[in-house]
Amino acid sequence: MEPITWTQFWIVFVTCALTMLACRVLPLFLLKGRSLPERVEEALSYIPSAAFAALVANDLLSPDMFAAGVWPAAAPLVAALVVVVVARLTKSLLWCAVAGVVAYALLMMI
């Protein structure tokens, strides 16, 4: 396999930088001063929750999660259940984070 040249590197780098700039900055300029329809704003409000849920699900569930046994796979799921209960009771991100870390640490000691 040939090593990458500096020319190839800069082509890829500039292309990626321009693409990221276009995806992040252009919508701000194009939508500045405009109001979006209520349904679109409602749909966009779900993006942070959906992204966070995808990250959490990716860490909690994997195809080979039971390869090392039931308990190592169940410990993060039980800690997540503790976080859900704390979230419903307190509605506090701080207490959810504390409860999740403590629950996971205690479950790993078992």
Side-chain angles (χ1 to χ4, degrees):
M1 190 170 174
E2 289 183 40
I4 189 168
T5 65
W6 280 106
T7 305
Q8 292 171 327
F9 168 79
W10 285 111
I11 290 171
V12 171
F13 180 79
V14 169
T15 303
C16 290
L18 290 174
T19 303
M20 286 189 334
L21 185 68
C23 291
R24 294 180 180 192
V25 175
L26 280 179
L28 293 175
F29 286 120
L30 295 175
L31 297 174
K32 186 177 180 181
R34 294 183 182 190
S35 61
L36 296 174
E38 186 177 327
R39 301 269 302 178
V40 173
E41 285 187 16
E42 182 184 351
L44 291 175
S45 71
Y46 291 113
I47 291 175
S49 301
F52 184 69
L55 291 170
V56 169
N58 189 41
D59 286 341
L60 291 179
L61 307 170
S62 66
D64 61 343
M65 64 189 281
F66 292 106
V70 173
W71 181 245
L77 296 173
V78 173
L81 183 63
V82 170
V83 170
V84 169
V85 170
V86 170
R88 296 286 278 172
L89 293 174
T90 66
K91 294 181 176 44
S92 168
L93 182 61
L94 174 65
W95 288 116
C96 289
V98 170
V101 169
V102 170
Y104 188 73
L106 292 173
L107 290 168
M108 287 290 100
M109 287 184 199
I110 296 177

